[in-house]
Amino acid sequence: MTPPTDILLNAYRLMSTANAMANIYEANRNICKYVHSTSRGHEAIQLATAFQLLPCDYVSPYYRDESIMLGLGFTPYQLMLQLLAKGEDIFTGGREYYNHPNYKGSDKPNIIHQSSATGMQAIPTTGIAQGIKYLERINSPLLRRGVGGEVPIVICSLGDASVTEGEVSEAFQFAALHQLPIIYLVQDNNWGISVTAAEARTSNAYEFIEGFKGIKRISIDGSDFAESFTTMQHVVKEVRKSRAPYLVHAMVPLLGHHTSGVRKDFYRSDDELEQEYKNDPGPKLKKYLLHLGVEEARIDEIETETAELVKKDFVAAVASPEPDPASVSNYVFATTPVTAESGERAPANKEKILMVDAALFAIREIMEAYPEAVLYGQDVGRRLGGVFREAATLAEQFGDHRVFNTAIQEAYIIGSTVGMSAVGVKPIVEVQFADYIYPGLNQLVTEISKSCYLSCGKFPVQTLIRVPIGAYGGGGPYHSGSVESTLLTIKGIKIVYPSNAADMKGLLKAAFLDPNPVVMLEHKGLYWSKVPGTEEAKRIEPAADYILPLGKANIVLHADDEKTNSGETCSIITYGMGVYWSTAAARNFPGQVEVIDLRTLFPLDEPMIYTSVKKHGKCLIVTEEQQNNSFAEALAGRISNNCFRFLDAPVEVLGALNLPAVPMNLLLEKAMLPNEEKVKQMLKKIFSS
C-alpha cells in the first residue's frame, strides 16, 4: 500500500534536512569539534518509525537516530545545540554527545536518558514496557494514554552489531517471557565501527530473535521509505493492540562516517561506498515521488528550502551561548523529601525484632501505602521469599504481579529500574549477594547513576537496590564479599549500610521515598543476630511512620567528658559489623572510646565525623573491607586534611587483610577479618602512642 503523498513529501523534506545537516557539519569540522554521528543511509526507516508514534508513547533512539528526532518534530536548531554542546541544549544543557536526547513532555513521545554504551539502552527501555504493563494491570492513573484512550507502546532502537551484547539478550528474554508492549527496531548497516557482520556474528537480529519464543519478527529494506512506513504502521498497530513484543530488522546502508572521529575512508574503499550509495534513501524516494507524478520543481523547492533552514539554524546554533560553568554541578541528585527524622522510633509495648524482619515489615508497609511499589529479584517470589526469607509472605499478600522472581539477570534487575521509574513505578529490587552485583555494574554506572545529571533533572531514577553483604560463618569467596568501595566510586548513587533493626526500617523507608537511586547494603551476619556479640542488632520495631533520613550518623557509644578533657579518648568511625567489634573492644577502655555508626556511606555525615575527631584528637576507622585503597583509607585522608590541627596521632585504619577473597575455612576467615580482639589491639597502640 502506497503511503499518502503528503507523508511521502514530508519524509523527503526531512531526508533532505538530514542530508543538509550532515553536509554542513562536514563543511564546518573545525566548529563541529565534538564527536558525532549522522543518520545518513538510515533516514527512511527512522522517519517511518517516528511518524507512527503518539505523545503517549516512549522511544529510545540510539546515537545515529537524528532522523527519528526530526520525524518526532524536533528542529535542526534544537539538535545542533546538542551537537555544539551549547548551554541552551534542551536535552542535556551541553553535557552529552549529539543525538543523545531525553525528553519529558505531553506533545511528543517521552525519551529517557540512555548512555552511549552500545546496546545498553535495551534493558532500561524494556523496563519502560515492563512498567507500562504493570500500570495497565492495576489501572493506574499514572499510565500515559493518547487522546482517544490509546495505550502506549515502546520503541527501542538498536544497531545490529549491538545485538551481540549479553545485556540485549537479557532484555529480549524478559520481553518475551512477560509479553511486553515493545518494538525492537534493529538497523543493520553491516558494520560495527570497522568490523563487518561476517567478522562479528553468526546471524543477524532477525535470525537471532527466533530463539526467543514469543517475539514476532520481520525483516525489511530499511532504505525504502514506502516499505518501511507500511511495515512500521502495521507493527505499531499490532503491538498497540496485542501488547506483545516485536522485532523489526531493517537493512540499511551506512553512508556517513561511523563518527566524525572515525571516518569512513579509514576502513572503507571507494568501491564499497559506491555500492552503498545505490541504496541512498533520499534518491530512492525522489525517484518514487517522480513516478507518482510529483513535479520535479516541487522536489527541488523542498531541497532548497531545507538547505536554507539548516544553514540558518546552524548560524543561530553557533551563536548560541556556551553553558555557564557555574552550572556544572547541577542535577546530580533530585531533591529528597526526607530531611529530618520523624515518627516513633521505639513505641511502647513493642517487642524487639530481627533486622531481617525489620526489612520485611518496612517493605510490607510501603507496599500497602504505595500501589505503584513492586519488588523483584532472584528467588524473592512466592515459593521462597528470598534466600534470607527477607521477602517471606509478601507475594501471598500482594500478588505475583507485585512480588516476583526474575531469571539470573543482575543487569536486567538493576537496569530495568530506569524505565520502571520513568513511568512512575517505584521498584525495589534485590541482588542475591554482594559478590554478584558486578554483572549489574554496567547498568548502575552507565545508565542509572548518570540519568539525573545528564537529563538535567528530568529523569532521576527512583530505585531501591537491596544487597546482602559481608562475611560470617564460612560463606566462602563468593558469598562473603564487601563491595562498598567499588560502589562509592560511582557518583550519582546513594549508599546505605544499617547496623540494627530500627535503623534498617527507618533508612529503608527513607531510601524508598528518595527520588534517587539508593543501594542498601545489609549485612547477612546481622540479619538474624546469630553471630556472637550482635544481639543488639535486634531493636524495638519502629512505628509505621518512622523515617530516618540518609546521611545522618549516630553516636552509639559516648566517651566520658572528664577523660575527653584530659586527652585520653579516641573516636572510632565504623559501620555494619564494625559497630559490634568496636563497642565490644571499647569495654576494655571504659569511658575512653566514642563509637560512631555512619549508617549511610553516601551522603556521609562529615560534620559529625569531624566534630568527633576534633573533640578526641585520635581516630580509628574500622571496616570489614580489605584495607588497601578502601573507602576507609580515603576517609582517613579526608579526616587528616580537615582535622590536622586537632590530631594527637595519625588517623588509623583497621580493615580485612588484603586478600582477593574471603576463604571458606572458618579459621582462615577469622584470620582475614577484623574482630573485637584486633580492634582492641589497635586501640592499645593508639593510646600508647
Side-chain angles (χ1 to χ4, degrees):
M1 186 177 74
T2 302
T5 303
D6 61 333
I7 289 176
L8 293 171
L9 286 169
N10 188 35
Y12 190 73
R13 177 177 296 277
L14 294 177
M15 282 188 196
S16 298
T17 302
N19 185 47
M21 290 164 69
N23 290 338
I24 206 166
Y25 299 165
E26 185 68 8
N28 293 273
R29 287 173 61 189
N30 60 321
I31 296 173
C32 305
K33 58 188 176 183
Y34 301 111
V35 66
H36 58 272
S37 298
T38 72
S39 59
R40 288 292 289 117
H42 293 228
E43 301 97 328
I45 184 60
Q46 291 182 17
L47 293 170
T49 300
F51 290 172
Q52 314 305 324
L53 300 182
L54 304 173
C56 64
D57 294 329
Y58 296 81
V59 59
S60 289
Y62 87 113
Y63 57 81
R64 203 177 295 285
D65 281 345
E66 69 183 356
S67 287
I68 282 185
M69 300 298 290
L70 292 170
L72 293 176
F74 293 98
T75 66
Y77 175 70
Q78 289 172 318
L79 301 185
M80 290 169 180
L81 289 176
Q82 189 172 51
L83 171 86
L84 301 172
K86 294 291 189 170
E88 294 177 2
D89 160 30
I90 65 169
F91 306 119
T92 69
R95 290 169 164 84
E96 260 280 28
Y97 308 101
Y98 182 54
N99 206 65
H100 285 62
N102 60 83
Y103 187 76
K104 194 171 188 177
S106 58
D107 62 326
K108 295 179 179 69
N110 275 3
I111 305 170
I112 62 170
H113 165 264
Q114 57 253 298
S115 75
S116 220
T118 306
M120 294 305 99
Q121 73 271 34
I123 285 176
T125 309
T126 305
I128 295 175
Q130 180 186 347
I132 287 171
K133 180 173 182 177
Y134 176 71
L135 294 177
E136 287 184 80
R137 168 75 184 264
I138 66 171
N139 196 26
S140 172
L142 295 172
L143 183 69
R144 285 163 55 99
R145 290 183 180 271
V147 174
E150 300 98 331
V151 285
I153 59 100
V154 182
I155 300 281
C156 178
S157 181
L158 300 157
D160 196 81
S162 72
V163 176
T164 57
E165 288 276 9
E167 292 183 26
V168 176
S169 292
E170 289 192 23
F172 288 166
Q173 184 77 250
F174 198 94
L177 183 64
H178 293 272
Q179 290 294 281
L180 304 182
I182 185 169
I183 299 165
Y184 297 103
L185 170 62
V186 181
Q187 300 171 59
D188 188 353
N189 61 30
N190 194 53
W191 291 98
I193 307 185
S194 67
V195 180
T196 65
E199 292 176 272
R201 50 196 189 271
T202 59
S203 57
N204 63 34
Y206 175 77
E207 296 159 340
F208 181 66
I209 203 68
E210 188 176 13
F212 297 87
K213 296 179 180 178
I215 300 181
K216 288 190 174 182
R217 59 179 182 150
I218 190 170
S219 186
I220 62 170
D221 179 0
S223 69
D224 184 315
F225 177 78
E227 180 182 349
S228 297
F229 182 87
T230 54
T231 298
M232 292 309 299
Q233 186 178 55
H234 164 74
V235 171
V236 168
K237 282 183 179 178
E238 178 164 334
V239 174
R240 207 177 292 282
K241 181 179 179 181
S242 70
R243 319 307 288 152
Y246 219 116
L247 182 137
V248 176
H249 171 252
M251 292 297 301
V252 291
L254 178 59
L255 303 182
H257 306 293
H258 169 68
T259 66
S260 55
V262 182
R263 305 179 65 74
K264 57 189 177 184
D265 47 290
F266 291 176
Y267 59 94
R268 300 171 71 187
S269 69
D270 291 341
D271 289 343
E272 287 175 326
L273 290 167
E274 186 179 344
Q275 285 298 115
E276 291 283 83
Y277 272 98
K278 291 178 181 178
N279 283 315
D280 189 336
K284 287 176 77 169
L285 180 55
K286 181 176 182 177
K287 183 178 180 181
Y288 188 55
L289 286 167
L290 292 171
H291 173 73
L292 292 176
V294 176
E295 295 182 359
E296 189 164 5
R298 188 175 181 188
I299 295 174
D300 292 342
E301 184 181 7
I302 288 173
E303 293 172 359
T304 301
E305 288 173 352
T306 54
E308 289 175 354
L309 170 67
V310 167
K311 182 178 179 180
K312 171 176 160 290
D313 280 5
F314 186 73
V315 170
V318 171
S320 179
E322 298 291 329
D324 180 359
S327 70
V328 69
S329 295
N330 293 352
Y331 306 114
V332 176
F333 291 111
T335 303
T336 178
V338 180
T339 57
E341 188 172 2
S342 61
E344 282 193 272
R345 180 177 173 92
N349 303 319
K350 280 249 189 176
E351 294 184 354
K352 287 186 176 182
I353 60 170
L354 296 163
M355 269 185 69
V356 72
D357 287 336
L360 172 64
F361 299 160
I363 294 174
R364 177 181 295 152
E365 291 167 2
I366 286 168
M367 298 190 80
E368 287 171 344
Y370 296 92
E372 62 272 30
V374 297
L375 170 67
Y376 57 98
Q378 296 168 34
D379 297 302
V380 303
R382 184 183 299 267
R383 292 187 191 87
L384 187 59
V387 294
F388 299 100
R389 304 295 287 154
E390 73 281 6
T393 73
L394 291 177
E396 284 87 345
Q397 182 174 351
F398 298 106
D400 296 328
H401 64 300
R402 293 189 69 188
V403 181
F404 57 91
N405 294 326
T406 65
I408 303 171
Q409 294 181 330
E410 288 84 3
Y412 189 88
I413 292 167
I414 290 174
S416 61
T417 66
V418 177
M420 295 282 274
S421 174
V423 301
V425 180
K426 299 181 186 298
I428 304 170
V429 298
E430 292 194 12
V431 173
Q432 206 162 73
F433 292 92
D435 307 79
Y436 301 136
I437 198 171
Y438 295 101
L441 281 189
N442 201 358
Q443 289 292 321
L444 194 59
V445 173
T446 62
E447 312 301 327
I448 290 177
S449 70
K450 295 177 174 63
S451 184
C452 187
Y453 182 67
L454 294 180
S455 69
C456 292
K458 293 190 288 294
F459 289 102
V461 180
Q462 182 173 6
T463 179
L464 171 54
I465 302 168
R466 299 184 60 201
V467 184
I469 192 170
Y472 85 102
Y478 293 101
H479 296 80
S480 306
S482 292
V483 299
E484 56 265 35
S485 290
T486 298
L487 295 174
L488 285 161
T489 63
I490 305 169
K491 312 311 172 190
I493 64 174
K494 299 183 180 183
I495 312 291
V496 179
Y497 203 138
S499 69
N500 62 69
D503 287 352
M504 168 73 88
K505 190 172 183 186
L507 288 168
L508 198 151
K509 292 282 187 76
F512 173 80
L513 295 171
D514 199 303
N516 301 290
V518 181
V519 178
M520 177 163 278
L521 302 175
E522 305 172 10
H523 201 291
K524 305 188 303 292
L526 300 178
Y527 265 157
W528 300 90
S529 288
K530 289 182 178 179
V531 176
T534 61
E535 184 69 17
E536 282 301 304
K538 292 192 290 186
R539 297 291 174 91
I540 292 173
E541 182 192 355
D545 64 350
Y546 179 65
I547 301 175
L548 179 60
L550 309 188
K552 301 294 182 184
N554 184 41
I555 302 174
V556 296
L557 181 65
H558 291 266
D560 290 346
D561 289 342
E562 184 178 337
K563 291 187 177 181
T564 299
N565 293 335
S566 63
E568 301 175 66
T569 54
C570 176
S571 173
I572 296 183
I573 313 298
T574 190
Y575 55 95
M577 189 65 81
V579 171
Y580 299 94
W581 297 326
S582 299
T583 52
R587 296 190 192 106
N588 296 279
F589 308 90
Q592 290 186 265
V593 179
E594 179 170 276
V595 178
I596 291 180
D597 179 0
L598 292 175
R599 302 198 290 201
T600 304
L601 306 186
F602 191 88
L604 187 64
D605 193 347
E606 293 187 11
M608 179 178 282
I609 294 169
Y610 300 151
T611 297
S612 176
V613 175
K614 289 175 182 179
K615 180 179 179 181
H616 300 288
K618 292 178 279 292
C619 177
L620 170 61
I621 303 171
V622 178
T623 178
E624 185 172 323
E625 280 197 296
Q626 293 93 324
Q627 184 170 325
N628 280 9
N629 304 314
S630 63
F631 156 69
E633 286 200 333
L635 178 57
R638 281 149 72 189
I639 291 172
S640 296
N641 249 357
N642 285 274
C643 306
F644 182 76
R645 291 188 300 109
F646 300 87
L647 289 171
D648 300 327
V651 177
E652 298 283 359
V653 178
L654 175 64
L657 299 182
N658 298 302
L659 306 176
V662 180
M664 178 76 77
N665 180 273
L666 288 170
L667 291 175
L668 296 177
E669 178 188 86
K670 182 179 179 181
M672 177 187 180
L673 297 178
N675 55 34
E676 174 189 345
E677 180 60 27
K678 292 179 183 180
V679 177
K680 175 184 169 183
Q681 293 304 318
M682 186 62 78
L683 285 171
K684 277 186 176 180
K685 173 187 171 184
I686 291 170
F687 285 130
S688 64
S689 63

